[in-house]
């Protein structure tokens, strides 16, 4: 690697901000290759050290290894998500197998594991501080779960399972993409799309033109079973066709059928789990989560499923009454039973009638700059004392990405926060947080965190007006950012959001609560033109409708989470007995009492990307799992006076600052004074 390569050494810009002005495409590849080689050499030095394994010559040496690789990876993967190009896409594809092999070369290296295991065996005699003790525990667990303790023959088997799984999950993803495109709904006449806005109609016309069908209309599918347009389309037949198209993905026979892949992926995972000493894949996954066992996950999901299904049935009866009333009034020629494709349409009608909340009309109160400065930043200042100053002189990866310096109450620096809010073709969908530089005392690194959103860019000169959902998303992602910014850990492994998957959404969900805090809301929600605050009756309507339709929403989520657990609760020997995907799904949903045909699962197996090609295998439960702590924390703030510096300080010091350097349930107990209880979640979702 050329010594002028900007990745060659830590940046000298404030907070080690990557020198974006100097970074060019040709710098990435050599930095990755040298970064991997450098880390392998560092690991080689550890393994060949003739001295007895010690914390310093093994654990700390490992924590110090790979700094060049970390530097280039943080910058590259942020860019490939946020501002991709044919170059980043090609390089990402080239790097994926190299990075996987690199990680295997470290984790499956017998001499390295022998040193970690030797330390672990006498962990209690080493006199370690709690964070270092936890570091040793985490290394031992993660190496073990990766197969480091296996014989050479079993390691070969493991590598074979991993390769076959990566091929199968990649094919699953490609099939899903192909079927999602092929099954897009084609409509001949605009009148059939009554209910869509002019903008939505012209997008459908454009999509048809793009596919060589000018004059017609194409509605592209979303990953969810339920398409957002189901709430809008007045034509019942079109709604039925749209839902059927969504549910047909992966089950049509032919080359894009995913059923055989679902079976083979679950079997391979079960066999790999057995090789690693676990009864099931779910047991192997949850062993490295706060849940610890599939039984604990099952207890929570089943407990919630009963009241959720009951509430959904009550909601269904109310929607049915709307249809029946339309028939009685002569608005509908004939009646019908509420079906899955009718649910969203009638529930949105009921929401407007009952709560007078038209979420689409709220945008003028949610102007981006006010929401950001007078809402998101304001709440953080009231809770944690921190202030935010935009640094226009510091450049990030794209002109839209804005850099803010974060300071403590006394003016001392915290780090940098970068916000890239607008959507563009080169940005992947969704919203997320990542770290460009991770705080660590061992390496003396500061902290830089980023948030990416996908808010449509307004016309030139116009203000950016957010939807209520986008306001929620900004508060949520900022919660992840605070988790990263406030980290005060020794080891890079534990910085900020480097926590368990079933814990990581907890701080971000907690931060969502401040968007509706009366003091925060009054500070940021002013009408763009009139300056008027959000009318109290609208606020009341938003609060009153909080549990509306939650029976449906909770049921469809739980159904998917239970399916994910069921597929990964199969033991290796039993895998071959399961041959019918639809029958397996049906049996699982019936057993949970979630088999109401009007409430389909959020994803069916053949298009459940989270579990078959994403990183949520046996982990889709995580969202509601961390919501237990989130709701319990909301209750704590409410009991203790809400938005105060004292409350914020306690949450920051006892929870956010500790990152992954402590058992998170222990940190939670320290903050809350006890374990989380489920009641606040039941209250919030109306599940009592
Ligand atoms: Zn999140």
């Amino acid at each position: 690697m050329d010594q002028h390569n900007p990745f060659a050494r830590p940046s000298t810009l404030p907070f080690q901000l990557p020198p974006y002005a100097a970074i060019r495409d040709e710098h990435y590849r050599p930095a990755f290759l040298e970064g991997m080689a450098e880390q392998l050499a560092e690991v080689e030095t550890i393994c060949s050290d003739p001295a007895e394994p010690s914390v310093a010559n093994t654990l700390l040496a490992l924590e110090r290894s790979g700094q060049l690789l970390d530097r280039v990876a943080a910058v590259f993967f942020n860019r490939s998500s946020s501002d991709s190009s044919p170059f980043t896409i090609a390089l990402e594809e080239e790097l994926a197998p190299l990075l996987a092999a690199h990680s295997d070369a470290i984790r499956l290296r017998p001499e390295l594991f022998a040193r970690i295991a030797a330390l672990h065996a006498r962990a209690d005699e080493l006199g370690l501080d709690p964070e270092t003790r936890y570091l040793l525990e985490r290394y031992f667990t993660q190496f073990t779960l990766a197969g480091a303790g296996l014989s050479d023959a079993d390691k070969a088997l493991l590598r074979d399972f991993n390769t076959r799984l990566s091929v199968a999950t990649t094919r699953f993803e490609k099939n899903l993409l192909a079927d999602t495109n092929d099954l897009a709904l084609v409509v001949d006449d605009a009148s059939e799309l009554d209910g869509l806005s002019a903008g939505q109609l012209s997008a459908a016309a454009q999509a048809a033109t793009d596919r060589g069908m000018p004059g017609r209309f194409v509605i592209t599918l979303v990953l969810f079973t339920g398409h957002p347009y189901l709430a809008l389309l007045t034509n019942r037949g079109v709604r039925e066709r749209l839902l059927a198209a969504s549910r047909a993905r992966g089950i049509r026979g032919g080359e894009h059928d995913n059923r055989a892949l679902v079976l083979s992926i679950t079997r391979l995972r079960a066999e790999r789990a057995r090789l690693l000493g676990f009864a099931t894949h779910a047991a192997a996954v949850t062993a490295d989560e706060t849940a610890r066992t599939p039984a604990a996950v099952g207890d929570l999901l089943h407990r919630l499923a009963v009241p959720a299904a009951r509430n959904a049935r009550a909601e269904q009866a109310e929607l049915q009454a709307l249809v029946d009333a339309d028939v009685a009034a002569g608005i509908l020629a004939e009646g019908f039973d509420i079906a899955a494709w009718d649910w969203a349409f009638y529930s949105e009608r009921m929401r407007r009638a009952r709560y007078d909340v038209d979420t689409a009309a709220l945008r003028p109160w949610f102007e981006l700059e006010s929401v950001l400065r007078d809402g998101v930043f304001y709440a953080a200042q009231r809770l944690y004392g921190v202030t935010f100053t935009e640094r226009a002189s510091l450049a990030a990866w794209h002109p839209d990405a804005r850099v803010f310096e974060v300071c403590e109450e006394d003016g001392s620096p915290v780090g940098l926060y970068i916000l890239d809010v607008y959507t563009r073709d080169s940005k992947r969908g969704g919203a997320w947080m990542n770290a460009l530089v991770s705080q660590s005392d061992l390496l003396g690194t500061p902290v830089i965190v980023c948030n990416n959103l996908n808010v449509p860019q307004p016309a030139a000169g116009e203000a950016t007006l957010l939807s209520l959902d986008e306001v929620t998303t900004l508060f949520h992602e900022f919660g992840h950012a605070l988790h990263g910014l406030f980290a005060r850990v020794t080891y890079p492994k534990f910085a900020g959001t480097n926590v368990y998957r079933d814990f990581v959404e907890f701080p971000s969900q907690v931060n969502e609560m401040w968007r509706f805090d009366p003091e925060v809301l009054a500070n940021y929600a002013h009408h763009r033109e009139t300056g008027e605050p959000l009318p109290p009756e609208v606020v009341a309507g938003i609060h009153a409708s909080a549990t509306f339709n939650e029976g449906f929403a909770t049921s469809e989520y739980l159904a998917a989470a239970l399916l994910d657990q069921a597929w990964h609760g199969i033991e290796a020997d039993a895998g071959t007995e399961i041959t019918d995907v639809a029958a397996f799904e049906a049996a699982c949903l019936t057993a949970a009492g979630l088999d109401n045909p009007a409430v389909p699962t959020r994803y069916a197996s053949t298009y459940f990307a989270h579990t078959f090609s994403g990183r949520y295998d046996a982990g889709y439960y995580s969202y509601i799992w961390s919501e237990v702590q989130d709701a319990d924390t909301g209750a704590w703030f409410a009991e203790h006076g809400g938005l105060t510096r004292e409350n914020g300080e306690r949450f920051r010091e006892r929870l956010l600052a500790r990152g992954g350097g402590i058992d998170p349930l222990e940190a939670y107990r320290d903050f809350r004074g006890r374990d989380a209880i489920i009641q606040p979640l039941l209250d919030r979702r109306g599940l009592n």
Side-chain angles (χ1 to χ4, degrees):
M1 185 179 64
D2 182 346
Q3 277 314 295
H4 298 297
N5 187 310
F7 295 112
R9 56 195 62 78
S11 163
T12 54
L13 292 175
F15 301 93
Q16 298 186 14
L17 180 69
Y20 281 102
I23 297 171
R24 292 190 304 277
D25 282 354
E26 64 264 30
H27 294 134
Y28 290 110
R29 199 171 176 281
F32 267 109
L33 296 180
E34 182 142 333
M36 285 188 271
E38 188 181 283
Q39 188 171 27
L40 287 183
E42 288 161 339
V43 168
E44 183 58 41
T45 307
I46 299 170
C47 292
S48 58
D49 190 337
E52 280 274 287
S54 69
V55 166
N57 72 22
T58 302
L59 285 192
L60 301 197
L62 257 182
E63 282 292 283
R64 285 197 182 92
S65 75
Q67 292 181 44
L68 168 59
L69 182 59
D70 287 346
R71 268 199 305 276
V72 64
V75 174
F76 176 75
F77 288 112
N78 176 67
R79 176 160 166 226
S80 67
S81 307
S82 182
D83 193 20
S84 66
S85 66
F87 165 78
T88 65
I89 292 165
L91 183 58
E92 201 171 358
E93 244 176 68
E94 183 193 340
L95 287 171
L98 298 179
L99 290 169
H102 177 71
S103 156
D104 269 356
I106 296 172
R107 292 218 172 162
L108 297 181
R109 174 99 195 229
E111 300 87 345
L112 185 59
F113 184 60
R115 296 180 77 92
I116 293 169
L119 282 173
H120 187 257
R122 49 191 187 90
D124 293 332
E125 305 153 28
L126 298 172
L128 304 177
D129 65 272
E131 192 183 334
T132 308
R133 176 73 181 81
Y134 198 60
L135 182 74
L136 177 53
E137 202 58 46
R138 298 299 300 137
Y139 264 115
F140 183 74
T141 303
Q142 290 178 341
F143 271 67
T144 305
L145 290 173
L150 297 179
S151 69
D152 285 350
D154 283 349
K155 273 184 191 160
L157 272 177
L158 182 73
R159 283 197 178 94
D160 182 50
F161 283 138
N162 286 341
T163 308
R164 284 157 67 193
L165 272 166
S166 91
V167 172
T169 53
T170 306
R171 263 197 61 203
F172 181 97
E173 193 175 9
K174 286 190 170 163
N175 287 347
L176 174 54
L177 185 63
D179 250 14
T180 300
N181 288 329
D182 292 350
L183 283 160
L185 187 69
V186 182
V187 172
D188 292 326
D189 194 311
S191 67
E192 292 181 278
L193 298 179
D194 180 52
L196 298 191
S197 70
Q200 289 163 336
L201 209 56
S202 72
Q206 185 60 48
T209 304
D210 292 347
R211 287 167 185 237
M213 294 180 279
R216 300 168 86 187
F217 301 88
V218 166
I219 297 178
T220 53
L221 301 181
V222 299
L223 199 50
F224 293 126
T225 298
H227 194 288
Y229 288 0
L230 292 174
L232 306 171
L233 291 162
T234 60
N235 185 317
R236 186 164 193 250
V238 176
R239 290 201 302 263
E240 183 174 3
R241 283 168 55 203
L242 182 55
L243 188 72
S246 178
R247 299 177 81 175
R249 287 174 290 174
I251 55 167
R252 294 188 298 157
E255 58 171 339
H256 299 145
D257 197 304
N258 268 341
R259 284 173 293 191
L261 285 169
V262 166
L263 296 174
S264 65
I265 290 169
T266 48
R267 277 174 208 160
L268 281 167
R269 285 175 176 163
E271 286 178 44
R272 185 177 60 180
R274 179 167 60 184
L275 187 67
L276 293 168
F278 292 93
T280 65
H281 182 61
V285 169
T286 48
D288 197 29
E289 298 288 350
T290 70
R292 295 285 174 253
T293 65
V297 174
D299 281 351
L300 176 69
L301 298 182
H302 283 287
R303 172 165 185 189
L304 299 174
V306 175
R310 183 196 64 214
N311 288 1
R313 281 192 299 275
E315 289 161 9
Q316 190 174 359
E318 292 184 330
L319 302 182
Q320 188 63 52
L322 278 184
V323 173
D324 296 346
D326 277 1
V327 175
I331 297 168
L332 279 173
E334 54 181 326
F336 52 83
D337 290 337
I338 284 283
W341 50 91
D342 301 315
W343 194 292
F345 183 78
Y346 284 95
S347 67
E348 281 315 299
R349 199 173 116 184
M350 179 167 279
R351 189 198 302 269
R352 285 191 300 272
R354 184 174 291 176
Y355 304 104
D356 199 22
V357 173
D358 181 359
T359 47
L362 295 175
R363 285 180 187 267
W365 277 278
F366 299 143
E367 193 269 320
L368 172 65
E369 288 304 305
S370 305
V371 175
L372 180 66
R373 291 175 188 277
D374 304 331
V376 172
F377 290 168
Y378 174 77
Q381 184 176 5
R382 295 279 286 109
L383 287 162
Y384 312 113
V386 287
T387 57
F388 298 80
T389 311
E390 187 155 11
R391 293 276 177 247
S393 59
L394 297 178
W397 56 90
H398 188 278
D400 285 349
R402 302 159 63 184
V403 181
F404 297 86
E405 185 174 347
V406 189
C407 290
E408 301 283 7
E409 218 158 24
D410 64 6
S412 58
V414 176
L416 294 182
Y417 169 69
I418 305 181
L419 176 63
D420 185 356
V421 87
Y422 293 116
T423 194
R424 51 182 171 261
D425 289 348
S426 61
K427 195 190 268 193
R428 76 169 160 86
W432 66 95
M433 167 271 187
N434 55 325
L436 279 180
V437 181
S438 290
Q439 181 275 334
S440 143
D441 288 347
L442 182 75
L443 305 181
T445 39
V447 57
I448 304 179
V449 297
C450 327
N451 277 163
N452 269 281
L453 273 70
N454 268 286
V455 174
Q457 188 122 29
E462 301 274 307
T464 303
L465 303 178
L466 303 181
S467 69
L468 180 55
D469 279 348
E470 287 163 346
V471 171
T472 304
T473 302
L474 185 55
F475 274 90
H476 176 99
E477 295 307 329
F478 190 74
H480 288 304
L482 290 176
H483 201 186
L485 281 168
F486 289 159
R488 287 300 169 267
V489 295
T490 307
Y491 302 112
K493 187 180 190 65
F494 293 147
T497 53
N498 289 322
V499 296
Y500 298 97
R501 183 176 57 189
D502 67 3
F503 190 74
V504 74
E505 294 301 326
F506 158 56
S508 52
Q509 290 179 353
V510 164
N511 203 57
E512 288 178 27
M513 85 170 112
W514 305 116
R515 76 202 190 283
F516 286 146
D517 178 88
E519 187 188 329
V520 178
L521 194 67
N523 201 56
Y524 79 87
H526 297 282
H527 194 279
R528 172 77 186 151
E529 265 121 46
T530 66
E532 273 177 75
L534 199 60
E537 62 273 18
V538 174
V539 178
I542 292 171
H543 285 301
S545 63
T547 57
F548 178 75
N549 207 41
E550 279 293 308
F552 178 92
T554 308
S555 294
E556 61 150 16
Y557 165 78
L558 289 173
L562 281 160
L563 266 186
D564 172 42
Q565 287 296 309
W567 279 119
H568 297 114
I570 298 171
E571 293 188 14
D573 295 328
T576 50
E577 291 161 21
I578 297 158
T579 53
D580 184 337
V581 170
F584 182 85
E585 277 188 6
C588 164
L589 298 179
T590 302
L594 292 170
D595 51 351
N596 182 344
V599 188
T601 173
R602 187 181 283 182
Y603 308 101
S605 305
T606 53
Y607 53 90
F608 199 168
H610 285 80
T611 196
F612 292 110
S613 60
R615 302 168 76 92
Y616 275 78
D617 43 295
Y620 195 64
Y621 75 90
S622 304
Y623 295 96
I624 209 149
W625 186 268
S626 36
E627 202 181 325
V628 173
Q629 283 141 350
D630 161 34
D632 191 47
T633 299
W636 181 86
F637 272 101
E639 287 158 20
H640 291 79
L643 187 82
T644 69
R645 276 288 283 120
E646 195 187 349
N647 288 346
E649 205 56 32
R650 183 180 175 100
F651 189 59
R652 174 176 174 175
E653 288 310 314
R654 298 186 186 214
L655 213 131
L656 298 177
R658 300 168 102 165
I662 180 174
D663 178 337
L665 300 184
E666 209 178 293
Y668 191 86
R669 268 191 294 277
D670 186 33
F671 156 69
R672 187 65 168 100
R674 57 160 171 74
D675 288 326
I677 56 170
I678 196 174
Q679 192 60 44
L681 173 73
L682 301 180
D683 293 341
R684 174 193 285 189
R685 287 185 176 244
L687 295 175
N688 287 301

